[in-house]
PDB file of all heavy atoms in Angstrom:
ATOM      1  N   TRP A   1     116.473  -2.618  16.372  1.00  0.00           N
ATOM      2  CA  TRP A   1     117.438  -3.626  15.906  1.00  0.00           C
ATOM      3  C   TRP A   1     118.560  -3.850  16.918  1.00  0.00           C
ATOM      4  O   TRP A   1     119.174  -4.921  16.925  1.00  0.00           O
ATOM      5  CB  TRP A   1     118.039  -3.198  14.566  1.00  0.00           C
ATOM      6  CG  TRP A   1     117.049  -3.139  13.461  1.00  0.00           C
ATOM      7  CD1 TRP A   1     116.405  -2.040  12.991  1.00  0.00           C
ATOM      8  CD2 TRP A   1     116.548  -4.241  12.687  1.00  0.00           C
ATOM      9  NE1 TRP A   1     115.543  -2.374  11.978  1.00  0.00           N
ATOM     10  CE2 TRP A   1     115.612  -3.706  11.756  1.00  0.00           C
ATOM     11  CE3 TRP A   1     116.806  -5.600  12.676  1.00  0.00           C
ATOM     12  CZ2 TRP A   1     114.937  -4.499  10.836  1.00  0.00           C
ATOM     13  CZ3 TRP A   1     116.139  -6.411  11.763  1.00  0.00           C
ATOM     14  CH2 TRP A   1     115.232  -5.864  10.852  1.00  0.00           C
ATOM     15  N   SER A   2     118.798  -2.877  17.764  1.00  0.00           N
ATOM     16  CA  SER A   2     119.906  -3.004  18.726  1.00  0.00           C
ATOM     17  C   SER A   2     119.481  -3.547  20.091  1.00  0.00           C
ATOM     18  O   SER A   2     120.237  -4.260  20.741  1.00  0.00           O
ATOM     19  CB  SER A   2     120.588  -1.632  18.917  1.00  0.00           C
ATOM     20  OG  SER A   2     119.672  -0.667  19.411  1.00  0.00           O
ATOM     21  N   GLU A   3     118.251  -3.232  20.527  1.00  0.00           N
ATOM     22  CA  GLU A   3     117.821  -3.619  21.868  1.00  0.00           C
ATOM     23  C   GLU A   3     117.125  -4.970  21.924  1.00  0.00           C
ATOM     24  O   GLU A   3     117.057  -5.588  22.979  1.00  0.00           O
ATOM     25  CB  GLU A   3     116.904  -2.543  22.456  1.00  0.00           C
ATOM     26  CG  GLU A   3     117.595  -1.226  22.694  1.00  0.00           C
ATOM     27  CD  GLU A   3     116.818  -0.329  23.625  1.00  0.00           C
ATOM     28  OE1 GLU A   3     115.811  -0.799  24.210  1.00  0.00           O
ATOM     29  OE2 GLU A   3     117.217   0.845  23.788  1.00  0.00           O
ATOM     30  N   VAL A   4     116.552  -5.418  20.809  1.00  0.00           N
ATOM     31  CA  VAL A   4     115.921  -6.739  20.759  1.00  0.00           C
ATOM     32  C   VAL A   4     116.413  -7.458  19.490  1.00  0.00           C
ATOM     33  O   VAL A   4     116.790  -6.797  18.519  1.00  0.00           O
ATOM     34  CB  VAL A   4     114.371  -6.640  20.722  1.00  0.00           C
ATOM     35  CG1 VAL A   4     113.835  -6.019  21.999  1.00  0.00           C
ATOM     36  CG2 VAL A   4     113.907  -5.855  19.507  1.00  0.00           C
ATOM     37  N   PRO A   5     116.454  -8.788  19.506  1.00  0.00           N
ATOM     38  CA  PRO A   5     116.890  -9.542  18.299  1.00  0.00           C
ATOM     39  C   PRO A   5     115.810  -9.540  17.222  1.00  0.00           C
ATOM     40  O   PRO A   5     115.294 -10.594  16.839  1.00  0.00           O
ATOM     41  CB  PRO A   5     117.168 -10.928  18.857  1.00  0.00           C
ATOM     42  CG  PRO A   5     116.283 -11.067  20.031  1.00  0.00           C
ATOM     43  CD  PRO A   5     116.183  -9.689  20.646  1.00  0.00           C
ATOM     44  N   PHE A   6     115.499  -8.344  16.718  1.00  0.00           N
ATOM     45  CA  PHE A   6     114.421  -8.214  15.764  1.00  0.00           C
ATOM     46  C   PHE A   6     114.723  -8.950  14.471  1.00  0.00           C
ATOM     47  O   PHE A   6     113.827  -9.523  13.834  1.00  0.00           O
ATOM     48  CB  PHE A   6     114.168  -6.721  15.476  1.00  0.00           C
ATOM     49  CG  PHE A   6     112.847  -6.453  14.810  1.00  0.00           C
ATOM     50  CD1 PHE A   6     111.665  -6.437  15.549  1.00  0.00           C
ATOM     51  CD2 PHE A   6     112.758  -6.214  13.456  1.00  0.00           C
ATOM     52  CE1 PHE A   6     110.448  -6.186  14.942  1.00  0.00           C
ATOM     53  CE2 PHE A   6     111.559  -5.958  12.844  1.00  0.00           C
ATOM     54  CZ  PHE A   6     110.395  -5.949  13.598  1.00  0.00           C
ATOM     55  N   GLY A   7     115.974  -8.937  14.050  1.00  0.00           N
ATOM     56  CA  GLY A   7     116.351  -9.654  12.835  1.00  0.00           C
ATOM     57  C   GLY A   7     116.102 -11.151  12.961  1.00  0.00           C
ATOM     58  O   GLY A   7     115.673 -11.802  11.994  1.00  0.00           O
ATOM     59  N   ARG A   8     116.354 -11.713  14.156  1.00  0.00           N
ATOM     60  CA  ARG A   8     116.112 -13.129  14.375  1.00  0.00           C
ATOM     61  C   ARG A   8     114.619 -13.435  14.308  1.00  0.00           C
ATOM     62  O   ARG A   8     114.196 -14.439  13.710  1.00  0.00           O
ATOM     63  CB  ARG A   8     116.657 -13.554  15.740  1.00  0.00           C
ATOM     64  CG  ARG A   8     116.490 -15.031  16.050  1.00  0.00           C
ATOM     65  CD  ARG A   8     117.379 -15.870  15.159  1.00  0.00           C
ATOM     66  NE  ARG A   8     116.969 -17.272  15.161  1.00  0.00           N
ATOM     67  CZ  ARG A   8     117.650 -18.232  14.562  1.00  0.00           C
ATOM     68  NH1 ARG A   8     118.758 -17.946  13.896  1.00  0.00           N
ATOM     69  NH2 ARG A   8     117.244 -19.478  14.573  1.00  0.00           N
ATOM     70  N   TYR A   9     113.800 -12.571  14.920  1.00  0.00           N
ATOM     71  CA  TYR A   9     112.348 -12.760  14.853  1.00  0.00           C
ATOM     72  C   TYR A   9     111.865 -12.712  13.407  1.00  0.00           C
ATOM     73  O   TYR A   9     111.016 -13.512  12.987  1.00  0.00           O
ATOM     74  CB  TYR A   9     111.632 -11.671  15.648  1.00  0.00           C
ATOM     75  CG  TYR A   9     111.981 -11.639  17.117  1.00  0.00           C
ATOM     76  CD1 TYR A   9     112.003 -10.423  17.818  1.00  0.00           C
ATOM     77  CD2 TYR A   9     112.280 -12.787  17.831  1.00  0.00           C
ATOM     78  CE1 TYR A   9     112.310 -10.369  19.158  1.00  0.00           C
ATOM     79  CE2 TYR A   9     112.598 -12.747  19.175  1.00  0.00           C
ATOM     80  CZ  TYR A   9     112.600 -11.530  19.832  1.00  0.00           C
ATOM     81  OH  TYR A   9     112.920 -11.493  21.172  1.00  0.00           O
ATOM     82  N   PHE A  10     112.407 -11.777  12.653  1.00  0.00           N
ATOM     83  CA  PHE A  10     112.018 -11.630  11.249  1.00  0.00           C
ATOM     84  C   PHE A  10     112.382 -12.874  10.450  1.00  0.00           C
ATOM     85  O   PHE A  10     111.585 -13.377   9.654  1.00  0.00           O
ATOM     86  CB  PHE A  10     112.736 -10.400  10.671  1.00  0.00           C
ATOM     87  CG  PHE A  10     111.981  -9.707   9.575  1.00  0.00           C
ATOM     88  CD1 PHE A  10     111.087  -8.702   9.860  1.00  0.00           C
ATOM     89  CD2 PHE A  10     112.168 -10.062   8.250  1.00  0.00           C
ATOM     90  CE1 PHE A  10     110.401  -8.046   8.860  1.00  0.00           C
ATOM     91  CE2 PHE A  10     111.484  -9.438   7.250  1.00  0.00           C
ATOM     92  CZ  PHE A  10     110.602  -8.418   7.546  1.00  0.00           C
ATOM     93  N   LEU A  11     113.599 -13.384  10.684  1.00  0.00           N
ATOM     94  CA  LEU A  11     114.039 -14.591   9.992  1.00  0.00           C
ATOM     95  C   LEU A  11     113.171 -15.791  10.365  1.00  0.00           C
ATOM     96  O   LEU A  11     112.816 -16.608   9.511  1.00  0.00           O
ATOM     97  CB  LEU A  11     115.492 -14.879  10.330  1.00  0.00           C
ATOM     98  CG  LEU A  11     116.098 -16.169   9.737  1.00  0.00           C
ATOM     99  CD1 LEU A  11     116.094 -16.089   8.210  1.00  0.00           C
ATOM    100  CD2 LEU A  11     117.511 -16.393  10.269  1.00  0.00           C
ATOM    101  N   ASN A  12     112.827 -15.908  11.646  1.00  0.00           N
ATOM    102  CA  ASN A  12     111.977 -17.020  12.084  1.00  0.00           C
ATOM    103  C   ASN A  12     110.631 -16.995  11.379  1.00  0.00           C
ATOM    104  O   ASN A  12     110.128 -18.045  10.946  1.00  0.00           O
ATOM    105  CB  ASN A  12     111.760 -16.944  13.612  1.00  0.00           C
ATOM    106  CG  ASN A  12     113.016 -17.268  14.394  1.00  0.00           C
ATOM    107  OD1 ASN A  12     113.924 -17.912  13.884  1.00  0.00           O
ATOM    108  ND2 ASN A  12     113.064 -16.811  15.631  1.00  0.00           N
ATOM    109  N   SER A  13     110.032 -15.818  11.242  1.00  0.00           N
ATOM    110  CA  SER A  13     108.748 -15.717  10.563  1.00  0.00           C
ATOM    111  C   SER A  13     108.877 -16.062   9.086  1.00  0.00           C
ATOM    112  O   SER A  13     107.997 -16.699   8.507  1.00  0.00           O
ATOM    113  CB  SER A  13     108.184 -14.307  10.719  1.00  0.00           C
ATOM    114  OG  SER A  13     107.666 -14.110  12.016  1.00  0.00           O
ATOM    115  N   LEU A  14     109.975 -15.641   8.463  1.00  0.00           N
ATOM    116  CA  LEU A  14     110.181 -15.959   7.048  1.00  0.00           C
ATOM    117  C   LEU A  14     110.336 -17.467   6.843  1.00  0.00           C
ATOM    118  O   LEU A  14     109.716 -18.047   5.945  1.00  0.00           O
ATOM    119  CB  LEU A  14     111.420 -15.245   6.528  1.00  0.00           C
ATOM    120  CG  LEU A  14     111.257 -13.773   6.144  1.00  0.00           C
ATOM    121  CD1 LEU A  14     112.598 -13.205   5.688  1.00  0.00           C
ATOM    122  CD2 LEU A  14     110.235 -13.604   5.037  1.00  0.00           C
ATOM    123  N   VAL A  15     111.163 -18.105   7.690  1.00  0.00           N
ATOM    124  CA  VAL A  15     111.352 -19.560   7.579  1.00  0.00           C
ATOM    125  C   VAL A  15     110.037 -20.290   7.812  1.00  0.00           C
ATOM    126  O   VAL A  15     109.652 -21.192   7.053  1.00  0.00           O
ATOM    127  CB  VAL A  15     112.416 -20.038   8.572  1.00  0.00           C
ATOM    128  CG1 VAL A  15     112.500 -21.561   8.595  1.00  0.00           C
ATOM    129  CG2 VAL A  15     113.781 -19.459   8.203  1.00  0.00           C
ATOM    130  N   PHE A  16     109.318 -19.896   8.852  1.00  0.00           N
ATOM    131  CA  PHE A  16     108.045 -20.527   9.200  1.00  0.00           C
ATOM    132  C   PHE A  16     107.019 -20.342   8.095  1.00  0.00           C
ATOM    133  O   PHE A  16     106.439 -21.306   7.562  1.00  0.00           O
ATOM    134  CB  PHE A  16     107.560 -19.967  10.531  1.00  0.00           C
ATOM    135  CG  PHE A  16     106.142 -20.253  10.865  1.00  0.00           C
ATOM    136  CD1 PHE A  16     105.635 -21.556  10.791  1.00  0.00           C
ATOM    137  CD2 PHE A  16     105.275 -19.231  11.257  1.00  0.00           C
ATOM    138  CE1 PHE A  16     104.304 -21.818  11.097  1.00  0.00           C
ATOM    139  CE2 PHE A  16     103.970 -19.497  11.557  1.00  0.00           C
ATOM    140  CZ  PHE A  16     103.468 -20.783  11.483  1.00  0.00           C
ATOM    141  N   SER A  17     106.767 -19.108   7.692  1.00  0.00           N
ATOM    142  CA  SER A  17     105.702 -18.817   6.736  1.00  0.00           C
ATOM    143  C   SER A  17     106.017 -19.356   5.349  1.00  0.00           C
ATOM    144  O   SER A  17     105.155 -19.966   4.702  1.00  0.00           O
ATOM    145  CB  SER A  17     105.470 -17.305   6.664  1.00  0.00           C
ATOM    146  OG  SER A  17     105.112 -16.783   7.928  1.00  0.00           O
ATOM    147  N   CYS A  18     107.241 -19.147   4.861  1.00  0.00           N
ATOM    148  CA  CYS A  18     107.590 -19.603   3.510  1.00  0.00           C
ATOM    149  C   CYS A  18     107.622 -21.123   3.429  1.00  0.00           C
ATOM    150  O   CYS A  18     107.215 -21.701   2.410  1.00  0.00           O
ATOM    151  CB  CYS A  18     108.940 -19.018   3.106  1.00  0.00           C
ATOM    152  SG  CYS A  18     108.919 -17.216   2.890  1.00  0.00           S
ATOM    153  N   SER A  19     108.079 -21.790   4.493  1.00  0.00           N
ATOM    154  CA  SER A  19     108.083 -23.260   4.495  1.00  0.00           C
ATOM    155  C   SER A  19     106.666 -23.810   4.466  1.00  0.00           C
ATOM    156  O   SER A  19     106.373 -24.766   3.742  1.00  0.00           O
ATOM    157  CB  SER A  19     108.830 -23.787   5.725  1.00  0.00           C
ATOM    158  OG  SER A  19     110.171 -23.362   5.726  1.00  0.00           O
ATOM    159  N   VAL A  20     105.788 -23.210   5.248  1.00  0.00           N
ATOM    160  CA  VAL A  20     104.390 -23.648   5.258  1.00  0.00           C
ATOM    161  C   VAL A  20     103.755 -23.428   3.886  1.00  0.00           C
ATOM    162  O   VAL A  20     103.029 -24.287   3.386  1.00  0.00           O
ATOM    163  CB  VAL A  20     103.599 -22.916   6.356  1.00  0.00           C
ATOM    164  CG1 VAL A  20     102.106 -23.202   6.224  1.00  0.00           C
ATOM    165  CG2 VAL A  20     104.071 -23.346   7.737  1.00  0.00           C
ATOM    166  N   VAL A  21     104.045 -22.298   3.258  1.00  0.00           N
ATOM    167  CA  VAL A  21     103.482 -22.013   1.918  1.00  0.00           C
ATOM    168  C   VAL A  21     103.926 -23.091   0.931  1.00  0.00           C
ATOM    169  O   VAL A  21     103.108 -23.651   0.172  1.00  0.00           O
ATOM    170  CB  VAL A  21     103.911 -20.619   1.447  1.00  0.00           C
ATOM    171  CG1 VAL A  21     103.597 -20.447  -0.041  1.00  0.00           C
ATOM    172  CG2 VAL A  21     103.220 -19.541   2.245  1.00  0.00           C
ATOM    173  N   ALA A  22     105.228 -23.392   0.891  1.00  0.00           N
ATOM    174  CA  ALA A  22     105.754 -24.361  -0.065  1.00  0.00           C
ATOM    175  C   ALA A  22     105.148 -25.745   0.142  1.00  0.00           C
ATOM    176  O   ALA A  22     104.695 -26.403  -0.815  1.00  0.00           O
ATOM    177  CB  ALA A  22     107.273 -24.417   0.033  1.00  0.00           C
ATOM    178  N   ILE A  23     105.114 -26.210   1.391  1.00  0.00           N
ATOM    179  CA  ILE A  23     104.605 -27.562   1.674  1.00  0.00           C
ATOM    180  C   ILE A  23     103.097 -27.614   1.485  1.00  0.00           C
ATOM    181  O   ILE A  23     102.558 -28.573   0.916  1.00  0.00           O
ATOM    182  CB  ILE A  23     105.006 -27.991   3.101  1.00  0.00           C
ATOM    183  CG1 ILE A  23     106.529 -28.032   3.229  1.00  0.00           C
ATOM    184  CG2 ILE A  23     104.418 -29.355   3.440  1.00  0.00           C
ATOM    185  CD1 ILE A  23     107.021 -28.266   4.649  1.00  0.00           C
ATOM    186  N   ALA A  24     102.397 -26.590   1.982  1.00  0.00           N
ATOM    187  CA  ALA A  24     100.936 -26.605   1.913  1.00  0.00           C
ATOM    188  C   ALA A  24     100.440 -26.524   0.480  1.00  0.00           C
ATOM    189  O   ALA A  24      99.446 -27.185   0.132  1.00  0.00           O
ATOM    190  CB  ALA A  24     100.362 -25.458   2.743  1.00  0.00           C
ATOM    191  N   LEU A  25     101.085 -25.741  -0.373  1.00  0.00           N
ATOM    192  CA  LEU A  25     100.666 -25.683  -1.760  1.00  0.00           C
ATOM    193  C   LEU A  25     100.791 -27.041  -2.440  1.00  0.00           C
ATOM    194  O   LEU A  25      99.930 -27.450  -3.202  1.00  0.00           O
ATOM    195  CB  LEU A  25     101.497 -24.644  -2.520  1.00  0.00           C
ATOM    196  CG  LEU A  25     101.190 -23.179  -2.240  1.00  0.00           C
ATOM    197  CD1 LEU A  25     102.101 -22.277  -3.058  1.00  0.00           C
ATOM    198  CD2 LEU A  25      99.725 -22.834  -2.521  1.00  0.00           C
ATOM    199  N   PHE A  26     101.861 -27.748  -2.143  1.00  0.00           N
ATOM    200  CA  PHE A  26     102.069 -29.058  -2.730  1.00  0.00           C
ATOM    201  C   PHE A  26     101.024 -30.057  -2.226  1.00  0.00           C
ATOM    202  O   PHE A  26     100.354 -30.739  -3.033  1.00  0.00           O
ATOM    203  CB  PHE A  26     103.484 -29.561  -2.400  1.00  0.00           C
ATOM    204  CG  PHE A  26     103.770 -30.948  -2.866  1.00  0.00           C
ATOM    205  CD1 PHE A  26     103.871 -31.240  -4.214  1.00  0.00           C
ATOM    206  CD2 PHE A  26     103.956 -31.979  -1.968  1.00  0.00           C
ATOM    207  CE1 PHE A  26     104.131 -32.525  -4.669  1.00  0.00           C
ATOM    208  CE2 PHE A  26     104.220 -33.271  -2.392  1.00  0.00           C
ATOM    209  CZ  PHE A  26     104.315 -33.549  -3.743  1.00  0.00           C
ATOM    210  N   LEU A  27     100.848 -30.151  -0.910  1.00  0.00           N
ATOM    211  CA  LEU A  27      99.912 -31.130  -0.363  1.00  0.00           C
ATOM    212  C   LEU A  27      98.465 -30.774  -0.671  1.00  0.00           C
ATOM    213  O   LEU A  27      97.655 -31.650  -1.006  1.00  0.00           O
ATOM    214  CB  LEU A  27     100.124 -31.251   1.151  1.00  0.00           C
ATOM    215  CG  LEU A  27     101.488 -31.795   1.591  1.00  0.00           C
ATOM    216  CD1 LEU A  27     101.559 -31.855   3.127  1.00  0.00           C
ATOM    217  CD2 LEU A  27     101.742 -33.177   1.013  1.00  0.00           C
ATOM    218  N   ASN A  28      98.109 -29.493  -0.537  1.00  0.00           N
ATOM    219  CA  ASN A  28      96.726 -29.082  -0.813  1.00  0.00           C
ATOM    220  C   ASN A  28      96.358 -29.312  -2.277  1.00  0.00           C
ATOM    221  O   ASN A  28      95.231 -29.715  -2.587  1.00  0.00           O
ATOM    222  CB  ASN A  28      96.529 -27.610  -0.456  1.00  0.00           C
ATOM    223  CG  ASN A  28      96.539 -27.361   1.038  1.00  0.00           C
ATOM    224  OD1 ASN A  28      96.317 -28.267   1.839  1.00  0.00           O
ATOM    225  ND2 ASN A  28      96.820 -26.145   1.428  1.00  0.00           N
ATOM    226  N   SER A  29      97.300 -29.045  -3.177  1.00  0.00           N
ATOM    227  CA  SER A  29      97.007 -29.235  -4.591  1.00  0.00           C
ATOM    228  C   SER A  29      96.865 -30.725  -4.916  1.00  0.00           C
ATOM    229  O   SER A  29      95.998 -31.093  -5.727  1.00  0.00           O
ATOM    230  CB  SER A  29      98.099 -28.614  -5.447  1.00  0.00           C
ATOM    231  OG  SER A  29      99.362 -29.232  -5.219  1.00  0.00           O
ATOM    232  N   MET A  30      97.681 -31.582  -4.307  1.00  0.00           N
ATOM    233  CA  MET A  30      97.533 -33.017  -4.535  1.00  0.00           C
ATOM    234  C   MET A  30      96.179 -33.518  -4.025  1.00  0.00           C
ATOM    235  O   MET A  30      95.499 -34.272  -4.725  1.00  0.00           O
ATOM    236  CB  MET A  30      98.667 -33.774  -3.844  1.00  0.00           C
ATOM    237  CG  MET A  30     100.012 -33.633  -4.504  1.00  0.00           C
ATOM    238  SD  MET A  30     101.262 -34.705  -3.791  1.00  0.00           S
ATOM    239  CE  MET A  30     100.634 -36.314  -4.272  1.00  0.00           C
ATOM    240  N   ALA A  31      95.801 -33.091  -2.822  1.00  0.00           N
ATOM    241  CA  ALA A  31      94.525 -33.510  -2.272  1.00  0.00           C
ATOM    242  C   ALA A  31      93.362 -32.935  -3.099  1.00  0.00           C
ATOM    243  O   ALA A  31      92.377 -33.630  -3.369  1.00  0.00           O
ATOM    244  CB  ALA A  31      94.403 -33.068  -0.823  1.00  0.00           C
ATOM    245  N   GLY A  32      93.480 -31.662  -3.502  1.00  0.00           N
ATOM    246  CA  GLY A  32      92.437 -31.061  -4.322  1.00  0.00           C
ATOM    247  C   GLY A  32      92.270 -31.757  -5.657  1.00  0.00           C
ATOM    248  O   GLY A  32      91.158 -31.961  -6.131  1.00  0.00           O
ATOM    249  N   TYR A  33      93.390 -32.171  -6.268  1.00  0.00           N
ATOM    250  CA  TYR A  33      93.328 -32.904  -7.524  1.00  0.00           C
ATOM    251  C   TYR A  33      92.639 -34.255  -7.324  1.00  0.00           C
ATOM    252  O   TYR A  33      91.816 -34.674  -8.145  1.00  0.00           O
ATOM    253  CB  TYR A  33      94.732 -33.112  -8.075  1.00  0.00           C
ATOM    254  CG  TYR A  33      94.790 -33.971  -9.319  1.00  0.00           C
ATOM    255  CD1 TYR A  33      94.424 -33.454 -10.565  1.00  0.00           C
ATOM    256  CD2 TYR A  33      95.161 -35.307  -9.252  1.00  0.00           C
ATOM    257  CE1 TYR A  33      94.454 -34.235 -11.698  1.00  0.00           C
ATOM    258  CE2 TYR A  33      95.187 -36.106 -10.393  1.00  0.00           C
ATOM    259  CZ  TYR A  33      94.838 -35.563 -11.596  1.00  0.00           C
ATOM    260  OH  TYR A  33      94.869 -36.342 -12.736  1.00  0.00           O
ATOM    261  N   ALA A  34      92.971 -34.934  -6.229  1.00  0.00           N
ATOM    262  CA  ALA A  34      92.361 -36.245  -5.970  1.00  0.00           C
ATOM    263  C   ALA A  34      90.855 -36.122  -5.781  1.00  0.00           C
ATOM    264  O   ALA A  34      90.066 -36.909  -6.342  1.00  0.00           O
ATOM    265  CB  ALA A  34      93.005 -36.887  -4.737  1.00  0.00           C
ATOM    266  N   PHE A  35      90.414 -35.132  -5.010  1.00  0.00           N
ATOM    267  CA  PHE A  35      88.980 -34.974  -4.767  1.00  0.00           C
ATOM    268  C   PHE A  35      88.231 -34.492  -6.016  1.00  0.00           C
ATOM    269  O   PHE A  35      87.044 -34.763  -6.160  1.00  0.00           O
ATOM    270  CB  PHE A  35      88.748 -33.985  -3.616  1.00  0.00           C
ATOM    271  CG  PHE A  35      88.975 -34.580  -2.252  1.00  0.00           C
ATOM    272  CD1 PHE A  35      89.962 -34.097  -1.420  1.00  0.00           C
ATOM    273  CD2 PHE A  35      88.193 -35.616  -1.798  1.00  0.00           C
ATOM    274  CE1 PHE A  35      90.169 -34.620  -0.166  1.00  0.00           C
ATOM    275  CE2 PHE A  35      88.393 -36.178  -0.538  1.00  0.00           C
ATOM    276  CZ  PHE A  35      89.389 -35.681   0.280  1.00  0.00           C
ATOM    277  N   ALA A  36      88.898 -33.768  -6.877  1.00  0.00           N
ATOM    278  CA  ALA A  36      88.238 -33.228  -8.074  1.00  0.00           C
ATOM    279  C   ALA A  36      88.225 -34.210  -9.234  1.00  0.00           C
ATOM    280  O   ALA A  36      87.256 -34.262  -9.999  1.00  0.00           O
ATOM    281  CB  ALA A  36      88.908 -31.933  -8.491  1.00  0.00           C
ATOM    282  N   ARG A  37      89.283 -35.033  -9.377  1.00  0.00           N
ATOM    283  CA  ARG A  37      89.457 -35.807 -10.593  1.00  0.00           C
ATOM    284  C   ARG A  37      89.412 -37.315 -10.413  1.00  0.00           C
ATOM    285  O   ARG A  37      89.085 -38.035 -11.372  1.00  0.00           O
ATOM    286  CB  ARG A  37      90.812 -35.444 -11.236  1.00  0.00           C
ATOM    287  CG  ARG A  37      90.931 -34.002 -11.674  1.00  0.00           C
ATOM    288  CD  ARG A  37      89.840 -33.620 -12.635  1.00  0.00           C
ATOM    289  NE  ARG A  37      90.187 -32.442 -13.413  1.00  0.00           N
ATOM    290  CZ  ARG A  37      89.406 -31.877 -14.312  1.00  0.00           C
ATOM    291  NH1 ARG A  37      88.222 -32.385 -14.555  1.00  0.00           N
ATOM    292  NH2 ARG A  37      89.782 -30.813 -14.985  1.00  0.00           N
ATOM    293  N   LEU A  38      89.722 -37.810  -9.250  1.00  0.00           N
ATOM    294  CA  LEU A  38      89.800 -39.253  -9.053  1.00  0.00           C
ATOM    295  C   LEU A  38      88.522 -39.788  -8.433  1.00  0.00           C
ATOM    296  O   LEU A  38      87.912 -39.130  -7.586  1.00  0.00           O
ATOM    297  CB  LEU A  38      91.003 -39.615  -8.159  1.00  0.00           C
ATOM    298  CG  LEU A  38      92.369 -39.134  -8.644  1.00  0.00           C
ATOM    299  CD1 LEU A  38      93.466 -39.622  -7.698  1.00  0.00           C
ATOM    300  CD2 LEU A  38      92.639 -39.611 -10.072  1.00  0.00           C
ATOM    301  N   GLN A  39      88.113 -40.958  -8.864  1.00  0.00           N
ATOM    302  CA  GLN A  39      86.947 -41.615  -8.306  1.00  0.00           C
ATOM    303  C   GLN A  39      87.389 -42.713  -7.339  1.00  0.00           C
ATOM    304  O   GLN A  39      88.093 -43.619  -7.720  1.00  0.00           O
ATOM    305  CB  GLN A  39      86.109 -42.234  -9.443  1.00  0.00           C
ATOM    306  CG  GLN A  39      85.588 -41.244 -10.464  1.00  0.00           C
ATOM    307  CD  GLN A  39      84.555 -40.290  -9.878  1.00  0.00           C
ATOM    308  OE1 GLN A  39      83.830 -40.648  -8.938  1.00  0.00           O
ATOM    309  NE2 GLN A  39      84.485 -39.088 -10.427  1.00  0.00           N
ATOM    310  N   PHE A  40      86.991 -42.588  -6.096  1.00  0.00           N
ATOM    311  CA  PHE A  40      87.311 -43.606  -5.102  1.00  0.00           C
ATOM    312  C   PHE A  40      86.203 -43.652  -4.055  1.00  0.00           C
ATOM    313  O   PHE A  40      85.473 -42.678  -3.857  1.00  0.00           O
ATOM    314  CB  PHE A  40      88.677 -43.361  -4.438  1.00  0.00           C
ATOM    315  CG  PHE A  40      88.834 -42.000  -3.809  1.00  0.00           C
ATOM    316  CD1 PHE A  40      88.500 -41.770  -2.474  1.00  0.00           C
ATOM    317  CD2 PHE A  40      89.335 -40.933  -4.566  1.00  0.00           C
ATOM    318  CE1 PHE A  40      88.651 -40.531  -1.901  1.00  0.00           C
ATOM    319  CE2 PHE A  40      89.481 -39.680  -3.983  1.00  0.00           C
ATOM    320  CZ  PHE A  40      89.149 -39.481  -2.663  1.00  0.00           C
ATOM    321  N   LYS A  41      86.101 -44.763  -3.402  1.00  0.00           N
ATOM    322  CA  LYS A  41      85.019 -44.987  -2.446  1.00  0.00           C
ATOM    323  C   LYS A  41      85.143 -44.042  -1.257  1.00  0.00           C
ATOM    324  O   LYS A  41      86.210 -43.891  -0.673  1.00  0.00           O
ATOM    325  CB  LYS A  41      85.038 -46.437  -1.972  1.00  0.00           C
ATOM    326  CG  LYS A  41      83.834 -46.829  -1.150  1.00  0.00           C
ATOM    327  CD  LYS A  41      83.859 -48.313  -0.816  1.00  0.00           C
ATOM    328  CE  LYS A  41      82.615 -48.717  -0.023  1.00  0.00           C
ATOM    329  NZ  LYS A  41      82.631 -50.169   0.304  1.00  0.00           N
TER     330      LYS A  41
END
């Protein structure tokens, strides 16, 4: 924690991973619903 900015690296991974989870769940579920339930050409 003292010799490298480990806390910053940890925060970057949290921001990156949690943001991807939130956005991907929303978009993937919308697309999955469309392919499962909606009829389109």
Side-chain angles (χ1 to χ4, degrees):
W1 295 98
S2 60
E3 294 197 7
V4 296
F6 196 79
R8 182 69 196 186
Y9 300 148
F10 210 90
L11 177 63
N12 290 339
S13 284
L14 280 178
V15 173
F16 166 50
S17 301
C18 293
S19 299
V20 171
V21 168
I23 299 172
L25 286 179
F26 176 68
L27 296 180
N28 289 339
S29 62
M30 288 187 67
Y33 175 77
F35 282 118
R37 297 303 201 181
L38 303 183
Q39 299 293 330
F40 55 90
K41 189 175 181 180

